[in-house]
């Protein structure tokens, strides 16, 4: 059991792609008797949690840690119910945690920040915390690119590095706000708490325990509708999972519930769906990515297309006017190259940038164009893909030569390699 627990904790702390490499071909290992889960389950039972239908913690060959269905769960049936009393919400933090810490002055901060404060405040209590079994079940570290070393971050492609930089600024701003009000914690501790919320929070627009208070939805920002739901974070993400979540949405019980819209076979893994995210989003936010992700593609920006045209010696006239046309018609969004081809917006962006002044006066005719007949555009597209592929290849060479890389950086290398393959396949379809 001790071996299994050590193995389990290692699985939890690794990115899911890392776990996939490590355990491919292994059998499913039931870990429901490990102390971490026994304590968590016992704690939840104290909140009147009923594990119906029965789900058992297990280590799966393809995903690592997850929940296994002990019986077949039919479409429309309840997957899991978490008692409302076990949820950690913005309202709970504002009305209980902040007053006890004399921190009412920061109640205006983001829900993610407030939940991070709660995690740190409860963790500082050690085993005396009434939430200790839940806290013990949480990962000790994460594998998002954010946790790459400073030297590793310098080697990241811009589409990863720029987001990591944005995350750093957001965390820095909130960390400064928190410690300036007298809350004591380390930068590393705050980062751990922030990503615990980032990777584990569920959507909840209102906490029923504080129904008379101003609801989160009245804050007019769905990003603030977050809650920590102990046990739910044991469910892994699958693009095939279809489910509905909310408070009291199924008559069989009361609490925060997940109802499956697909049949889950006995002894198979039960999944939830985080949303239609590509692999870049999954890695940046959750620290893993999926092989054969149907939402995957290599994202491009207008700036990168302009850089390519400049490198190719193509003079782009009327640049400001063209950029305004692209932005006002949202042709600068969802620029993507997949293994199956190039998005329509990417093609139209290229076409507009290549237009002469006279053609630009009739730019709206692009909506009537037959792209298949435009050999010049196809040739430029092929050159663009080749340009992007060569850039990635150069980055990969530098990234691969870095010694002693972290798990986070190894996952970044794997992601960039997968993007290089996408571009190679896209070349074949031009």
């Amino acid at each position: 059991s001790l071996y299994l627990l050590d193995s389990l904790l290692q699985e939890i702390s690794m990115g899911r792609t890392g776990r996939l490499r490590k355990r491919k071909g292994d059998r499913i290992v039931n870990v429901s008797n490990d102390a971490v889960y026994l304590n968590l389950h016992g704690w939840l039972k104290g909140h009147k949690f009923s594990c119906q239908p029965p789900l058992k913690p297990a280590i799966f060959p393809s995903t690592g840690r997850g929940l296994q269905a002990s019986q077949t769960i039919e479409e429309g049936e309840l997957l899991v119910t978490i008692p409302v009393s076990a949820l950690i919400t913005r309202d709970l933090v504002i009305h209980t945690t902040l007053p006890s810490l004399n921190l009412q002055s920061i109640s205006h901060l983001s829900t993610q920040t407030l939940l991070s404060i709660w995690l740190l405040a409860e963790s500082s209590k050690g085993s005396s915390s009434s939430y200790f079994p839940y806290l013990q079940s949480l990962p000790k570290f994460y594998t998002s690119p954010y946790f790459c070393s400073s030297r590793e971050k310098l080697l990241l492609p811009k589409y990863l590095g720029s987001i990591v930089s944005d995350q750093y600024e957001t965390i820095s701003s909130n960390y400064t706000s928190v410690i300036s009000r007298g809350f004591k914690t380390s930068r590393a501790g705050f980062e751990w708490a922030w990503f615990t919320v980032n990777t584990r929070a569920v959507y909840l627009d209102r906490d029923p325990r504080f129904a008379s208070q101003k609801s989160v939805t009245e804050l007019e920002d769905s990003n603030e509708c977050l809650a920590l739901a102990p046990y739910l974070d044991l469910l892994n993400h699958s693009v095939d999972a279809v489910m509905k979540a909310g408070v009291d949405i199924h008559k069989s019980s009361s609490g925060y519930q997940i109802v499956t819209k697909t049949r889950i076979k006995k002894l198979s893994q039960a999944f939830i769906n985080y949303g239609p995210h590509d692999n870049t989003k999954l890695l940046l936010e959750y620290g893993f990515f999926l092989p054969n992700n149907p939402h995957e593609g290599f994202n491009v920006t207008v700036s990168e297309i302009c850089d390519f045209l400049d490198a190719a010696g193509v003079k782009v006239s009327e640049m400001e006017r063209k950029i305004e046309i692209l932005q006002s018609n949202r042709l600068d969004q969802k620029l993507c190259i997949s293994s199956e081809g190039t998005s329509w917006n990417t093609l139209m962006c290229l076409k507009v940038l290549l237009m002469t002044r006279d053609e630009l006066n009739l730019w709206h005719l692009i909506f009537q164009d037959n792209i298949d007949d435009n050999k010049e555009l196809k040739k430029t597209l092929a050159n663009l893909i080749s340009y992007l592929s060569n850039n990635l290849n150069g980055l990969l060479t530098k990234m691969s030569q870095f010694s002693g890389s972290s798990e986070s950086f190894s996952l970044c290398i794997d992601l960039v390699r997968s993007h290089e393959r996408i571009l190679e396949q896209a070349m074949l379809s031009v």
Side-chain angles (χ1 to χ4, degrees):
S1 180
L2 284 175
Y3 168 77
L4 283 177
L5 180 55
D6 289 342
S7 175
L8 171 66
L9 291 175
Q10 186 179 12
E11 293 284 356
I12 288 175
S13 66
M14 292 174 67
R16 286 177 192 149
T17 304
R19 293 199 297 265
L20 180 65
R21 286 197 305 266
K22 184 182 177 218
R23 285 196 165 265
K24 194 170 183 179
D26 287 3
R27 61 188 178 89
I28 297 173
V29 179
N30 187 311
V31 292
S32 55
N33 288 324
D34 281 326
V36 169
Y37 289 114
L38 288 174
N39 291 338
L40 177 62
H41 197 267
W43 176 79
L44 283 167
K45 285 183 73 175
H47 287 272
K48 299 182 179 179
F49 170 73
S50 173
C51 193
Q52 289 297 328
L55 299 171
K56 293 182 178 180
I59 303 296
F60 293 86
S62 58
T63 63
R65 180 269 298 136
L67 289 177
Q68 183 181 38
S70 298
Q71 65 186 45
T72 296
I73 305 171
E74 300 294 343
E75 177 185 344
E77 288 187 350
L78 197 63
L79 179 60
V80 66
T81 300
I82 305 300
V84 169
S85 63
L87 300 177
I88 300 98
T89 65
R90 180 187 185 90
D91 284 324
L92 180 74
V93 177
I94 288 175
H95 296 293
T96 62
T97 307
L98 296 188
S100 70
L101 297 171
N102 198 27
L103 286 173
Q104 291 93 326
S105 63
I106 63 171
S107 61
H108 66 284
L109 295 179
S110 71
T111 301
Q112 187 157 357
T113 302
L114 296 183
L115 293 179
S116 297
I117 290 171
W118 179 89
L119 281 166
L120 292 164
E122 288 299 322
S123 295
S124 69
K125 298 176 184 178
S127 58
S128 65
S129 169
S130 58
Y131 292 88
F132 185 66
Y134 167 55
L135 298 171
Q136 285 292 95
S137 74
L138 296 172
K140 302 299 183 282
F141 61 90
Y142 296 99
T143 53
S144 304
Y146 182 91
F147 294 100
C148 288
S149 69
S150 299
R151 288 178 62 205
E152 289 171 340
K153 286 176 183 175
L154 293 174
L155 296 173
L156 294 178
K158 189 175 181 180
Y159 62 88
L160 291 178
S162 62
I163 303 299
V164 169
S165 180
D166 290 344
Q167 290 174 332
Y168 186 88
E169 292 303 318
T170 299
I171 291 173
S172 293
S173 174
N174 285 283
Y175 176 64
T176 300
S177 295
V178 168
I179 62 171
S180 66
R181 262 72 165 201
F183 184 71
K184 291 182 172 58
T185 186
S186 66
R187 168 85 190 205
F190 189 78
E191 290 170 337
W192 168 83
W194 182 273
F195 274 89
T196 296
V197 178
N198 207 64
T199 57
R200 275 150 175 72
V202 298
Y203 178 90
L204 181 68
D205 60 354
R206 181 186 287 272
D207 187 335
R209 293 169 293 183
F210 302 91
S212 62
Q213 308 294 331
K214 184 176 181 180
S215 70
V216 175
T217 49
E218 288 172 311
L219 297 173
E220 298 180 348
D221 188 350
S222 62
N223 290 327
E224 298 304 319
C225 302
L226 301 175
L228 292 171
Y231 190 77
L232 277 193
D233 55 3
L234 302 181
L235 289 162
N236 284 321
H237 164 71
S238 170
V239 295
D240 298 319
V242 183
M243 29 72 70
K244 183 179 180 182
V247 175
D248 296 345
I249 59 174
H250 196 277
K251 60 184 178 181
S252 64
S253 62
S254 179
Y256 186 88
Q257 301 169 323
I258 294 180
V259 175
T260 181
K261 298 294 185 180
T262 51
R263 188 172 187 262
I264 301 171
K265 294 180 181 179
K266 181 180 179 180
L267 301 182
S268 66
Q269 183 172 182
F271 289 98
I272 55 174
N273 195 324
Y274 298 175
H277 302 313
D278 62 23
N279 280 341
T280 300
K281 174 82 170 179
L282 287 174
L283 184 59
L284 284 164
E285 300 296 337
Y286 302 104
F288 74 93
F289 65 90
L290 301 173
N292 306 313
N293 183 352
H295 305 296
E296 178 59 337
F298 182 73
N299 298 310
V300 189
T301 64
V302 174
S303 176
E304 286 172 320
I305 294 176
C306 289
D307 288 344
F308 151 69
L309 292 173
D310 184 58
V314 177
K315 186 84 171 175
V316 179
S317 61
E318 307 267 344
M319 178 65 85
E320 288 187 12
R321 186 182 169 198
K322 288 176 179 178
I323 296 297
E324 195 279 326
I325 288 171
L326 293 174
Q327 291 177 343
S328 61
N329 292 277
R330 298 188 176 183
L331 293 172
D332 62 331
Q333 300 177 21
K334 297 182 179 179
L335 307 181
C336 179
I337 299 170
S338 74
S339 55
E340 297 175 357
T342 306
S343 70
W344 190 84
N345 273 20
T346 306
L347 291 168
M348 292 307 101
C349 181
L350 253 184
K351 184 157 190 179
V352 169
L353 289 172
L354 291 170
M355 283 180 173
T356 63
R357 181 175 297 179
D358 290 339
E359 289 172 334
L360 197 59
N361 291 330
L362 299 171
W363 74 268
H364 55 277
L365 294 178
I366 62 172
F367 296 107
Q368 304 169 20
D369 279 357
N370 183 352
I371 301 301
D372 292 335
D373 295 336
N374 195 325
K375 293 182 179 179
E376 192 61 35
L377 183 62
K378 282 190 168 186
K379 180 181 177 182
T380 306
L381 174 62
N383 289 336
L384 169 64
I385 295 173
S386 178
Y387 168 84
L388 295 170
S389 182
N390 288 338
N391 283 350
L392 272 194
N393 186 266
L395 272 170
L396 264 176
T397 299
K398 293 178 181 177
M399 292 174 77
S400 302
Q401 290 173 348
F402 190 85
S403 58
S405 61
S406 64
E407 178 69 16
S408 297
F409 192 64
S410 294
L411 287 170
C412 291
I413 292 174
D414 289 345
L415 180 68
V416 175
R417 280 201 182 109
S418 73
H419 287 160
E420 187 182 41
R421 288 193 293 271
I422 285 174
L423 293 176
E424 288 171 354
Q425 292 169 336
M427 278 293 290
L428 300 176
S429 63
V430 177

